[in-house]
């Protein structure tokens, strides 16, 4: 009958500028799609060069090598008899565009440039690309000679148009275009397009997956149609993790779903669907004929076959959403593995303090080992090859996560005279349960050596506040301890494997959370300074929930004592052998209050006065307006005094929309007038009852 089509959406773990690896993964995905009977293969955004090339997009080499890969794809027999939709940068009239290239049987059908750019949060596409502003317009693009030699074409259509095959009509969207209020699929649907495609590079954020699902379901609920969504997966060299979730939907229902988190380098999600279901659905919605507005590229090819009566079609499925705790367990773990295997290092080293934050980092590494063992058990030869390369043993076969953890994960407790036995035992117990190679290191000798140098030069020996010292002395003594730990962490990361007669070095893991980064409640160049930090974008509140999840999921009972203890830096002297310093007392606010303030600052775009105006209502049952004003002013003083620390903060996994990451996501000055004179005066006038501040 010729009405059923099989389509494929591919999630690929591409790596920026890894043209050879990217090309291989693209070809393998096309091969798998064809095995499943697909006649249309869609890949993620900019898959040929990798989405995260950054300023390498300015280089002519990136354009050249992308065309070289395209030439190889066109020449390959694997790409025959299937419409291939791949992403790459292209320069047209001396302007760079983020493009889709659609080709069939060694002929390029269309180059479709992106029209609506992603330019907020982690995205800066307008820095490298221009949007195609000529709506429903097509120009002639003259191909490079190396492509002409393969296709026999001098030029091809370049612009916003749709493909008309013998049996259906196909239109493209690219990533952010789906999220825009004027999404192209709206007009394309009214114009008769039956299959929409979306190639994406969308990153993971906690509690974000449902937004994508709802947008795609809504797109096909309103106007009917088949929606094919392909998203990148993995860490391609930056702070974000692209979380797959490739899917196929029809008439408001999801019928095929790819995994959100996986160690597989590629995943092909296919679905067979009946075009008549789209036409029947639309027949009830459309009461008048729409005038065709989109230019058509006619393609002498059919996605369906003539004999498909007995070909089964996909039925609606219920999407499985991960809980936030599962997301923390899986997303950062996959990100860490990509970073480790691609960095060429032999494992991780973590300063394990026995607190919530470093324990969370340790649990994420343990979760990574669980995923690796499961992948090997499932027969993933690529993962096994990477594991063997990391551990330096070509015959190694991981059996248990705990045993694997001992090979690639080193933890160390760096105690001082200010450390309690409780934190030492908590760190030791957790290390024993996850299986890490654990060390106890006393830093007192190093601290006293540094203070001795200072004393020889100045003739003075600083004292803690409890011993009669000033606030300056007290802070400096805390900072010396913290910074010594960083130096020792890197020393042991470089040489601990050497001392054991093993090759390679270790990546140092950080463990400061998003709330501490927000207030600057950490020492610059202490153990927060590391190679990478898997929890730097996660709040303390979410981390506590994550550890509760780990107790049940991984039977890590040592976490119960860690969760029961008050968070502390342990940098001031003990009182009768017990901790007297706590994080929340030092910060002047609770972690739950910080989460609220952080979201107002970043997500709600609040300065001091706007934040005060919102919080007097949000916290009215607990705090008076005067107390709210004190909290707001205290936060902004801390935030502005310490903002300079964010310029050197360790690259962290982006997980939350109120991250203060200074690299790209949260662009702010780092030298403030910390008195906030005008802003605080406005707050004070409201507290005192005046109606018109300022």
């Amino acid at each position: 009958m010729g009405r059923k089509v099989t389509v494929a959406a591919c999630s690929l773990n591409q790596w920026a500028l890894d043209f050879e690896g990217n090309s291989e993964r693209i070809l393998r995905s096309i091969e798998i799609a064809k095995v499943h009977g697909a006649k249309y293969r869609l890949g993620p955004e900019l898959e040929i060069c990798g989405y995260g090339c950054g300023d390498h997009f300015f280089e002519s080499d990136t354009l050249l090598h992308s065309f070289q890969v395209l030439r190889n794809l066109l020449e390959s027999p694997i790409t025959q008899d299937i419409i291939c939709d791949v992403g790459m940068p292209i320069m047209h009239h001396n302007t760079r565009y983020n493009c889709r290239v659609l080709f069939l049987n060694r002929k390029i059908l269309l180059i479709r440039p992106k029209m609506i750019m992603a330019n907020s949060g982690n995205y800066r596409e307008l820095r490298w690309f221009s949007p195609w502003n000529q709506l429903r317009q097509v120009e002639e693009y003259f191909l490079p000679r190396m492509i002409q030699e393969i296709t026999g074409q001098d030029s091809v259509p370049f612009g916003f148009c749709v493909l008309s095959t013998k049996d259906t009509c196909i239109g493209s969207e690219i990533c952010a275009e789906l999220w825009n209020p004027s999404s192209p699929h709206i007009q394309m649907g009214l114009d008769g397009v039956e299959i929409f495609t979306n190639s994406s590079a969308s990153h993971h954020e906690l509690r974000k997956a449902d937004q994508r699902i709802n947008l795609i379901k809504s797109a096909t609920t309103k106007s009917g149609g088949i929606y094919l969504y392909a998203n990148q997966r993995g860490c391609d060299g930056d702070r974000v993790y692209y979380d797959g979730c490739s899917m196929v939907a029809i008439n408001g229902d999801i019928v095929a779903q790819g995994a959100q988190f996986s160690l597989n380098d590629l995943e092909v999600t296919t679905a067979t669907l009946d075009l008549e279901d789209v036409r029947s659905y639309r027949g009830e919605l459309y009461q008048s004929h729409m005038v065709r507005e989109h230019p058509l590229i006619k393609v002498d090819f059919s996605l369906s076959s003539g004999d498909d009566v007995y070909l089964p079609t996909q039925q609606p499925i219920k999407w499985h959403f991960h809980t936030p705790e599962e997301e923390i367990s899986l997303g950062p773990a996959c990100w860490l593995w990509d970073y480790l295997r691609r960095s060429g290092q032999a494992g991780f080293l973590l300063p394990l303090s026995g607190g919530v934050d470093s324990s969370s980092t340790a649990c994420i590494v343990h979760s990574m080992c669980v995923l690796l063992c499961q992948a090997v058990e499932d027969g993933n030869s690529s993962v096994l090859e990477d594991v063997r390369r990391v551990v330096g043993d070509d015959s190694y076969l991981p059996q248990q996560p705990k045993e694997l953890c001992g090979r690639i994960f080193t933890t160390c407790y760096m105690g001082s005279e200010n450390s309690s036995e409780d934190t030492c035992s908590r760190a030791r117990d957790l290390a024993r349960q996850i299986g890490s190679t654990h060390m106890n290191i006393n830093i007192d000798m190093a601290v006293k050596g540094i203070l001795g140098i200072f004393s020889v030069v100045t003739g003075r020996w600083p004292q803690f506040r409890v011993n009669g010292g000033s606030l300056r002395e007290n802070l400096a003594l805390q900072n010396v301890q913290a910074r010594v730990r960083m130096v020792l962490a890197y020393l042991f990361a470089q040489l601990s494997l050497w001392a054991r007669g093993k090759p390679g070095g270790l990546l140092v893991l950080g463990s400061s959370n998003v709330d501490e980064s927000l207030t600057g409640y950490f020492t610059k160049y202490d153990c927060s300074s590391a190679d990478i930090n898997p929890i730097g974008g996660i709040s303390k509140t979410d981390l506590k929930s994550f550890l509760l999840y780990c107790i049940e999921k991984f039977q890590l009972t040592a976490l119960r004592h860690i969760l029961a203890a008050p968070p502390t830096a342990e940098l001031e002297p003990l009182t009768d052998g017990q901790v007297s310093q706590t994080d929340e007392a030092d910060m002047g606010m609770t972690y739950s209050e910080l989460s609220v303030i952080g979201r107002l600052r970043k997500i709600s775009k609040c300065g001091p006065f706007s934040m005060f105006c919102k919080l007097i209502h949000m916290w009215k049952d607990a705090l008076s307006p005067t107390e709210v004003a004190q909290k707001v002013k205290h936060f902004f003083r801390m935030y502005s005094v310490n903002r300079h620390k964010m310029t050197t903060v360790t690259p962290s996994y982006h997980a939350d929309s109120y991250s203060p990451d200074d690299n790209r996501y949260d662009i702010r000055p780092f030298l403030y007038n910390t008195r906030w004179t005008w802003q605080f005066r406005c707050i004070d006038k409201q507290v005192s009852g005046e109606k018109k501040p300022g």
Side-chain angles (χ1 to χ4, degrees):
M1 293 179 64
R3 50 190 257 178
K4 295 177 182 176
V5 297
T6 301
V7 291
C10 306
S11 288
L12 308 183
N13 194 334
Q14 303 297 71
W15 191 8
L17 302 177
D18 179 23
F19 291 97
E20 187 163 356
N22 293 348
S23 175
E24 290 173 359
R25 284 182 285 273
I26 292 170
L27 282 172
R28 282 165 54 202
S29 70
I30 295 170
E31 191 171 25
I32 294 169
K34 289 176 68 175
V35 167
H36 287 89
K39 293 294 185 179
Y40 191 103
R41 176 269 180 199
L42 176 72
E45 188 173 7
L46 292 169
E47 60 186 309
I48 285 180
C49 58
Y51 182 81
C53 293
D55 281 358
H56 290 289
F57 284 124
F58 290 135
E59 300 168 2
S60 61
D61 280 11
T62 304
L63 299 172
L64 169 66
H65 300 325
S66 294
F67 270 114
Q68 289 169 337
V69 171
L70 179 61
R71 176 190 170 108
N72 290 343
L73 295 176
L74 286 164
E75 284 185 306
S76 172
I78 293 173
T79 64
Q80 301 303 296
D81 300 321
I82 182 172
I83 296 178
C84 298
D85 187 337
V86 299
M88 60 180 281
I90 290 178
M91 184 171 283
H92 179 53
H93 295 322
N94 295 322
T95 302
R96 274 181 309 277
Y97 293 98
N98 174 348
C99 295
R100 303 303 300 173
V101 179
L102 288 77
F103 63 90
L104 170 68
N105 295 338
R106 300 166 69 98
K107 299 288 185 183
I108 293 176
L109 306 174
L110 165 69
I111 298 175
R112 187 341 192 142
K114 191 172 185 178
M115 299 186 295
I116 301 172
M117 314 307 289
N119 209 56
S120 62
N122 287 301
Y123 298 97
R124 292 288 179 273
E125 289 183 6
L126 285 175
R127 179 177 174 88
W128 308 298
F129 302 110
S130 295
W132 180 256
N133 293 320
Q134 301 181 56
L135 191 64
R136 294 183 285 278
Q137 296 290 319
V138 179
E139 295 182 356
E140 195 174 18
Y141 177 78
F142 288 91
L143 294 168
R145 188 177 290 110
M146 72 172 87
I147 304 299
Q148 292 180 18
E149 292 170 354
I150 303 302
T151 66
Q153 300 165 289
D154 293 329
S155 63
V156 294
F158 185 101
F160 181 30
C161 57
V162 299
L163 296 185
S164 178
T165 64
K166 288 182 174 182
D167 50 1
T168 189
C169 191
I170 307 165
S172 300
E173 287 188 321
I174 305 177
C175 198
E177 294 173 358
L178 170 65
W179 300 72
N180 192 273
S182 58
S183 295
H185 70 258
I186 298 171
Q187 286 301 319
M188 287 195 295
L190 293 173
D191 206 7
V193 171
E194 295 178 328
I195 300 176
F196 310 105
T197 67
N198 186 305
S199 56
S200 189
S202 182
H203 66 278
H204 171 241
E205 253 181 30
L206 295 176
R207 307 172 180 90
K208 174 187 171 184
D210 64 312
Q211 297 178 38
R212 283 193 211 121
I213 313 305
N214 292 337
L215 282 169
I216 290 170
K217 290 174 70 174
S218 172
T220 56
T221 299
K222 288 183 296 186
S223 62
I226 295 168
Y227 205 103
L228 193 59
Y229 176 84
N231 190 29
Q232 183 160 313
R233 173 184 290 148
C235 165
D236 77 339
D238 211 332
R239 291 160 170 79
V240 296
Y241 176 80
Y242 302 101
D243 58 337
C245 288
S246 292
M247 70 189 88
V248 182
I250 181 171
N251 299 341
D253 292 317
I254 305 295
V255 295
Q257 169 190 355
Q260 185 173 13
F261 307 106
S262 173
L263 300 183
N264 294 327
D265 275 345
L266 62 92
E267 180 183 30
V268 178
T269 302
T270 58
T272 300
L273 299 164
D274 193 335
L275 292 171
E276 288 301 316
D277 290 339
V278 175
R279 294 158 188 165
S280 298
Y281 187 91
R282 287 181 170 177
E284 192 173 357
L285 294 176
Y286 299 170
Q287 300 300 322
S288 61
H289 172 68
M290 299 297 296
V291 177
R292 178 164 294 282
E293 297 181 346
H294 295 78
L296 278 177
I297 305 294
K298 293 183 179 180
V299 183
D300 187 17
F301 185 73
S302 295
L303 270 62
S304 60
S305 64
D307 184 16
D308 57 14
V309 174
Y310 295 103
L311 186 65
T313 57
Q314 260 69 25
Q315 299 304 306
I317 61 173
K318 184 177 181 181
W319 190 278
H320 169 70
F321 290 103
H322 291 288
T323 65
E325 294 77 20
E326 289 173 331
E327 290 184 85
I328 295 171
S329 174
L330 297 170
C334 293
W335 182 75
L336 282 181
W337 175 240
D338 277 348
Y339 200 101
L340 176 60
R341 68 192 178 104
R342 287 173 169 170
S343 69
Q345 298 303 298
F348 297 116
L349 180 136
L350 170 69
L352 184 60
S353 69
V356 166
D357 295 334
S358 61
S359 298
S360 297
T361 297
C363 288
I364 288 170
V365 176
H366 177 73
S367 176
M368 182 194 81
C369 292
V370 171
L371 292 173
L372 289 171
C373 288
Q374 186 61 56
V376 171
E377 185 180 329
D378 293 342
N380 191 321
S381 58
S382 176
V383 168
L384 179 59
E385 181 183 338
D386 286 335
V387 169
R388 286 173 171 172
R389 189 176 65 253
V390 168
V391 302
D393 184 349
D394 291 339
S395 62
Y396 175 64
L397 186 67
Q399 301 292 333
Q400 297 293 330
K402 189 172 181 179
E403 179 266 337
L404 176 58
C405 216
R407 284 181 174 254
I408 64 174
F409 190 31
T410 298
T411 53
C412 55
Y413 179 82
M414 299 185 185
S416 73
E417 61 187 14
N418 301 319
S419 303
S420 67
E421 177 55 34
D422 288 343
T423 53
C424 180
S425 62
R426 290 198 294 266
R428 182 180 60 246
D429 291 346
L430 178 60
R432 185 182 298 120
Q433 289 188 0
I434 65 176
S436 65
T437 299
H438 189 64
M439 298 180 289
N440 251 331
I441 304 170
N442 189 286
I443 68 171
D444 287 335
M445 185 186 303
V447 172
K448 288 174 181 175
I450 292 172
L451 292 177
I453 295 172
F454 178 82
S455 179
V456 167
V457 173
T458 65
R460 305 286 298 275
W461 193 282
Q463 300 292 325
F464 282 105
R465 184 170 43 187
V466 296
N467 298 325
S470 65
L471 287 175
R472 276 193 296 175
E473 294 170 78
N474 196 68
L475 183 59
L477 288 172
Q478 293 183 66
N479 289 343
V480 167
Q481 296 170 75
R483 288 175 178 140
V484 161
R485 287 179 171 133
M486 182 204 73
V487 173
L488 286 172
Y490 273 98
L491 175 64
F492 278 89
Q494 287 181 296
L495 294 181
S496 60
L497 292 182
W498 167 79
R500 286 183 251 160
K502 296 181 178 180
L506 303 174
L507 292 166
V508 179
L509 295 181
S511 55
S512 58
N513 63 61
V514 71
D515 300 317
E516 290 171 348
S517 296
L518 189 59
T519 59
Y521 184 67
F522 61 91
T523 301
K524 200 173 186 179
Y525 306 118
D526 68 349
C527 281
S528 65
S529 295
D531 292 312
I532 48 174
N533 178 1
I535 68 163
I538 306 174
S539 72
K540 185 76 125 187
T541 303
D542 281 335
L543 290 175
K544 288 181 176 179
S545 298
F546 166 62
L547 292 188
L548 285 171
Y549 164 82
C550 289
I551 293 173
E552 302 301 322
K553 176 70 175 178
F554 304 124
Q555 288 78 53
L556 301 177
T557 55
L559 295 172
R560 289 199 177 97
H561 299 293
I562 291 168
L563 283 166
T568 175
E570 285 197 332
L571 294 172
E572 295 187 26
L574 304 174
T575 302
D576 299 325
Q578 300 297 314
V579 172
S580 58
Q581 179 188 27
T582 64
D583 292 354
E584 293 185 338
D586 281 355
M587 291 189 297
M589 59 184 65
T590 66
Y591 280 108
S592 59
E593 289 172 339
L594 264 178
S595 289
V596 174
I597 286 173
R599 286 181 166 83
L600 288 175
R601 182 198 72 98
K602 178 63 179 175
I603 301 172
S604 300
K605 318 290 191 294
C606 286
F609 182 71
S610 298
M611 186 178 293
F612 165 77
C613 292
K614 289 184 181 294
L615 286 177
I616 56 174
H617 300 289
M618 296 172 68
W619 289 349
K620 64 182 180 181
D621 295 331
L623 299 174
S624 67
T626 300
E627 291 171 320
V628 170
Q630 291 170 349
K631 291 271 188 186
V632 170
K633 289 192 276 189
H634 177 63
F635 165 75
F636 274 97
R637 285 193 196 99
M638 276 201 307
Y639 161 76
S640 55
V641 165
N642 291 312
R643 180 66 190 183
H644 66 95
K645 296 179 181 179
M646 292 309 299
T647 64
T648 61
V649 75
T650 297
S652 301
Y653 180 97
H654 178 88
D656 213 315
S657 52
Y658 75 98
S659 167
D661 172 39
D662 183 69
N663 172 262
R664 182 183 300 170
Y665 187 75
D666 190 43
I667 309 300
R668 316 257 175 162
F670 55 86
L671 176 62
Y672 281 90
N673 180 344
T674 59
R675 296 184 297 276
W676 299 86
T677 312
W678 188 280
Q679 294 91 331
F680 288 178
R681 188 186 304 128
C682 289
I683 294 174
D684 292 339
K685 287 182 178 181
Q686 289 300 308
V687 171
S688 63
E690 295 189 30
K691 299 299 183 184
K692 295 182 179 179

